[in-house]
Amino acid sequence: MSEDDFDQIGPMESVAERMAAEALIVDVDGFEGPLDLLLTLGRTQKVDLRTISVLELAQQYLAFVERAKQLRLELAADYLVMAAWLAFLKSRLLLPPDPTEEGPSGEELAAHLAFQLERLQSMRDVAAKLMARDQLGREFFSRGIPEDVTQVRKITYTATLLDLMQGYARIRTKDEFRPYVMDRDAIFTLENALERMRGLIGFAGTWTDISTYLPDGFTTDPARRRSATASTFAASLELAKEGKVELRQSELYAPIELRRKD
Amino acid sequence: MSEEIDHKEESLFEAPPMAEQERMVEAILFATAEPVTVRELESRMPHGSDPAEALVYLRKRYNGRGVNVVKVGDAWAIRTAPDLGFLMRRETVETRKLSRAAVETLAIIAYHQPVTRAEIEEIRGVSVSRGTVDQLLEMEWIRFGRRRMTPGRPVTFVVTQEFLDHFGLENARDLPGLKELRAAGLLENRPPPGTMPQLGEGDTDAEEETQEGQNELFED
Amino acid sequence: MSEEIDHKEESLFEAPPMAEQERMVEAILFATAEPVTVRELESRMPHGSDPAEALVYLRKRYNGRGVNVVKVGDAWAIRTAPDLGFLMRRETVETRKLSRAAVETLAIIAYHQPVTRAEIEEIRGVSVSRGTVDQLLEMEWIRFGRRRMTPGRPVTFVVTQEFLDHFGLENARDLPGLKELRAAGLLENRPPPGTMPQLGEGDTDAEEETQEGQNELFED
């Protein structure tokens, strides 16, 4: 805030000043809250904001609220809250400090209010500086005919050697299925299993884990073991259906056991 | 009309230096939403200015630059240099997996090259769409081989060096054979759905169903 | 992902000569009304290009011309020289007049960013209307920053690249009077002693955070 701003305002007693005070009241809606009003009132003190007399300011504010009441002007609640607080501050500043009382001193409160006012004023000043800057579309300009960037989506396809080989295997396998000839290397078929089990169940007088029926050579290689397990299981079901054996399983995932049915 | 008079009147005052006029033309051409005529430049610049002359200098200044001063009809504009047009495209590259049909077609060509379209179709058991072949040609993974010396002289397809490079192969003969594929566990034993005869004799039918069930049961 | 890899691969090839890179940056900046980041320049130019270096040359080249190369945050743009604004009356866009509340709120956000609504209200001593914030958000002059790590996790506001572009600022550190304000302690978030009637009460824990956030934004 420059000195000039204060110079324009005369002493408290001047007619101009009283008119300004009236104007303040009439314009109360135009204020952006109590801090704004305090700032405006502060301008009537012929001082830098840093050396403002908060006591005097408090008195001015309270006088303003008093006057507004006389004029039966409705003041928003926050103006009244501020008035109450300033009255409290005023008493703190005027009375000698009570050593038994806790909380910040009147001076501390006053200093903070002065800080708030100075901070608000500083924001107003820089806001004005900001708005006074050269602005885009006012003092300087961007390209009038922007040449649009065209988005081109390029799709590249890819495949791995694995995809390729699996693709080929898929076709060749399909080929093999057509004449119903299968590579039986790793396959233990249902018929194989049935045949094998029919020969073996005669010995199964007690409960026996069906995995013990897997043929030799089908127990280590995972693929062969899988095939044999499945067909042995299916054959067991088939035999149970025929009423030749009984099956049981004590719990989920427990070994499935088989016994000849007499 | 009045402008004409103004012009004469004002030209008595000194016009800005030519360098300044050039700056002005530059700024106007840059910021205006349409190409600007000399007449309009004149009307916007201080009286006594000679935009036509300023344009000569400005045009020279932008000669060979990334943007040029160009004449559009009877007006002037700043435009991207034609050789830099490629910068005005923003390419987003998206990598997609080759379709199953394309992979299979490619595989057949790789394993059986040179191979005709009819042969590919015979092996795949379905017709090969023009798009699939075109796509592979465009990717430069396959190319036309020699024509087959059979009736109709059909074209054959072979894989390219790009194909070999992409898959890290020295030669298409390096592709693993069926046995190796199977040994490597790459061979799906389950026939693709729909290719299996739905109604077969009891036994074979049961067998295949078992097979299918097997895979479903034991697949990880 | 794949672009990264490409980049590494391709940078083994030679980048275009610097003069050519300068032309490319020139073309790209001329073509668009929005500031372009170095990163984007890089992605559009041939691999191995160094747009940051090209920009140094380009900026020098346009020094004092009718249009200038300007920095906006971490992006670059070409703008007409401010002293030629008088020629552009036709291009001037009528900007919505901002209310006093909006201007003040904007200034507080710019100088105190990242700042919470409660802090803005404490500084102005009055509540901030939703409309004011909405208007600034809509103009894209402010945006939401990170949430404050205090009870309630309030959102913060910061200014945008559009804000910097509009006011011709290279970055938020160049805000007029920023240094002086900081030196005077006016950007500190000073907690009120005791029982001051306070609209932004409860956010005082945030003091340290604010300082930190501010530092982040304003310091290199």
Side-chain angles (χ1 to χ4, degrees), chain C residues 83-134:
Chain C
D83 67 304
L84 298 178
F86 71 96
L87 292 169
M88 309 300 165
R89 248 160 309 159
R90 231 162 291 191
E91 269 63 56
T92 309
V93 244
E94 265 310 309
T95 40
R96 241 186 320 175
K97 198 150 164 52
L98 281 180
S99 67
R100 179 173 150 187
V103 170
E104 274 181 34
T105 302
L106 178 67
I108 291 168
I109 294 170
Y111 285 79
H112 290 261
Q113 65 176 341
V115 63
T116 65
R117 189 194 201 96
E119 287 160 356
I120 298 169
E121 293 182 337
E122 196 206 316
I123 293 168
R124 296 196 63 226
V126 69
S127 65
V128 175
S129 83
R130 169 114 219 125
T132 303
V133 173
D134 285 352

Side-chain angles (χ1 to χ4, degrees), chain C residues 8 21 25 44 59 61 79 84 91-92 100-101 104-106 110 114 121 130 146-147 149 171 175 177 191 202 206 220:
Chain C
K8 274 184 204 133
Q21 291 188 35
V25 173
R44 285 170 62 180
R59 193 180 204 181
R61 184 183 291 275
R79 299 286 179 253
L84 298 178
E91 269 63 56
T92 309
R100 179 173 150 187
E104 274 181 34
T105 302
L106 178 67
E121 293 182 337
R130 169 114 219 125
R146 266 190 288 180
R147 283 183 183 273
M149 286 305 162
N171 60 50
L175 284 164
D220 278 323

Side-chain angles (χ1 to χ4, degrees), chain C residues 117-188:
Chain C
R117 189 194 201 96
E119 287 160 356
I120 298 169
E121 293 182 337
E122 196 206 316
I123 293 168
R124 296 196 63 226
V126 69
S127 65
V128 175
S129 83
R130 169 114 219 125
T132 303
V133 173
D134 285 352
Q135 186 186 15
L136 294 173
L137 283 169
E138 201 180 294
M139 294 172 83
E140 298 188 320
W141 280 1
I142 65 167
R143 63 177 176 81
F144 293 109
R146 266 190 288 180
R147 283 183 183 273
R148 187 64 57 74
M149 286 305 162
T150 52
R153 294 176 38 78
V155 295
T156 61
F157 297 100
V158 295
V159 291
T160 61
Q161 179 180 281
E162 282 80 2
F163 167 86
L164 297 177
D165 192 15
H166 186 90
F167 290 100
L169 293 161
E170 268 198 28
N171 60 50
R173 284 186 294 278
D174 296 341
L175 284 164
L178 183 75
K179 277 197 192 105
E180 293 81 351
L181 288 183
R182 188 182 294 135
L186 289 168
L187 298 181
E188 288 164 25

Side-chain angles (χ1 to χ4, degrees), chain A residues 38 41-42 45 52-61 113 117:
Chain A
L38 276 169
L41 289 170
Q45 294 187 22
I52 197 166
S53 162
V54 171
L55 182 60
E56 193 180 317
L57 189 61
Q59 277 164 342
Q60 283 175 287
Y61 187 93
L113 179 61
L117 291 175

Side-chain angles (χ1 to χ4, degrees), chain B residues 129-144:
Chain B
S129 81
R130 168 131 211 107
T132 303
V133 174
D134 284 350
Q135 185 186 16
L136 294 172
L137 284 169
E138 201 180 298
M139 291 172 79
E140 300 189 319
W141 279 359
I142 65 168
R143 61 179 176 81
F144 294 111

Side-chain angles (χ1 to χ4, degrees), chain B residues 179-187:
Chain B
K179 278 240 159 63
E180 292 161 280
L181 290 181
R182 190 169 288 129
L186 289 170
L187 217 141

